[in-house]
Amino acid sequence: MACSAVPASLYVGRRQAEATVCGAEATYQAGLAQAQSVYAATLDTVQAEAKAVDRHWLRGVRREAYAAFLLASHTLTERAQSYTVVRVTAENPSSLSQLSAELRIAETSLRGTYLITALEGGAEVEAISFRVMRATLAFGKLHERGAALDQAWANLVDLSESSGEAAVRQHASSLITSLAGLAVAVLDHYPNRAVRLPTPDMPASVAEAARSCPTDFRNLQDLVSEEDRRLLLEIQYRGVVRARSEYENTRLELDTAREEFTTALRGA
């Protein structure tokens, strides 16, 4: 009986060992599965948080780019509108060249911020920002031209009121009268100044009024530059910049484009 008991105990021990191993294996597999599940969940959380941070960072970068673009647009238009006509003297020369230099710098800044905006934004933002840039540049050019026209007219008025030679005052006053006559003739035929003058086929009364100006210009040729001559005639043919339909249309386009740009950003 003792001989048969030994193999039986070995058999039982072996089965118990196998059961223990199987239990340990099952526990290990369950622990491994749980660890993998926890790791996957943690990884998903980390990735989600990283993406959220990236989106937040990217949104911040975009908003800074958009804000810089709008600031560049407003800076250019405000500078373009800031010119004040001055009484030009040897000690106080015209600052038109300074205005032009500052506007070129502002235009460069606007174009640079537009490129960043176009890269960071989608197709819609790029299209609207291009409209803002185009209208801003056009608006600045119109005001720059308007400043030159205003200064040219102020220079002529100063000559007519100068304390210098009486002949200079007389010739300047005569030129002002001739230019006013030209403006009246133009308005009689083109109340809205919709036609770009001069033209070869312009009405006889306009051509006649225009012929009275060259003599007055010649009398002041040493005091009125060729550029001022062109500007003074442009005023009579086309009117001041702010009164032109081109100016009103450009201003409206700029306001509309800026509003649409801001609206698009709110929805971004």
Side-chain angles (χ1 to χ4, degrees), residues 114-125:
Y114 160 73
L115 289 176
I116 297 174
T117 299
L119 289 173
E120 292 294 339
E124 180 184 5
V125 171

Side-chain angles (χ1 to χ4, degrees), residues 3 11 13 27 33 67 132-133 137 144 154 160 215 223 227 232-233 238:
C3 293
Y11 176 78
T27 301
V132 173
M133 180 183 70
L137 293 173
E144 184 178 9
S160 71
T215 300
L223 299 172
E227 176 62 17
L232 291 168
L233 289 173
R238 301 189 59 200

Side-chain angles (χ1 to χ4, degrees), residues 7-253:
S9 62
L10 290 176
Y11 176 78
V12 171
R14 180 179 179 182
R15 289 300 183 185
Q16 289 177 341
E18 289 177 349
T20 300
V21 171
C22 289
E25 179 67 20
T27 301
Y28 168 76
Q29 292 295 334
L32 180 61
Q34 183 179 8
Q36 290 175 334
S37 176
V38 171
Y39 173 77
T42 303
L43 183 60
D44 289 343
T45 300
V46 171
Q47 289 177 337
E49 290 177 353
K51 288 180 180 178
V53 170
D54 286 344
R55 285 195 299 269
H56 180 73
W57 176 82
L58 183 57
R59 183 176 298 174
V61 170
R62 285 175 174 171
R63 288 192 176 279
E64 288 181 3
Y66 300 156
F69 174 68
L70 278 180
L71 177 61
S73 174
H74 283 284
T75 298
L76 193 156
T77 54
E78 288 174 5
R79 183 65 191 93
Q81 296 177 86
S82 68
Y83 183 78
T84 301
V85 170
V86 298
R87 189 181 186 90
V88 177
T89 63
E91 296 77 20
N92 185 35
S94 169
S95 57
L96 281 173
S97 57
Q98 179 183 347
L99 172 68
S100 296
E102 291 177 356
L103 289 180
R104 299 295 85 77
I105 294 173
E107 288 170 357
T108 300
S109 176
L110 177 66
R111 290 189 175 96
T113 55
Y114 160 73
L115 289 176
I116 297 174
T117 299
L119 289 173
E120 292 294 339
E124 180 184 5
V125 171
E126 179 183 2
I128 298 175
S129 59
F130 178 79
R131 286 178 52 205
V132 173
M133 180 183 70
R134 180 179 59 190
T136 301
L137 293 173
F139 190 80
K141 291 289 187 185
L142 286 171
H143 268 281
E144 184 178 9
R145 188 65 175 178
L149 294 172
D150 293 345
Q151 188 62 60
W153 185 258
N155 294 344
L156 178 59
V157 172
D158 285 345
L159 287 177
S160 71
E161 299 173 349
S162 67
S163 58
E165 298 180 13
V168 172
R169 293 196 300 273
Q170 180 180 352
H171 292 320
S173 296
S174 178
L175 177 56
I176 289 175
T177 301
S178 297
L179 291 171
L182 175 58
V184 170
V186 169
L187 289 171
D188 283 344
H189 293 277
Y190 309 105
N192 297 322
R193 285 190 167 104
V195 177
R196 282 183 175 268
L197 297 174
T199 60
D201 58 345
M202 59 186 180
S205 60
V206 177
E208 183 179 354
R211 282 193 292 270
S212 66
C213 296
T215 300
D216 293 318
F217 277 121
R218 281 194 297 272
N219 291 331
L220 294 169
Q221 62 182 348
D222 295 331
L223 299 172
V224 178
S225 67
E226 183 64 22
E227 176 62 17
D228 273 8
R229 186 189 73 82
R230 286 193 292 268
L231 292 169
L232 291 168
L233 289 173
E234 181 182 329
I235 294 173
Q236 317 318 313
Y237 285 128
R238 301 189 59 200
V240 296
V241 167
R242 291 175 183 81
R244 300 176 187 176
S245 59
E246 177 187 9
Y247 177 83
E248 180 60 25
N249 292 339
T250 301
R251 186 189 62 79
L252 180 60
E253 168 62 14

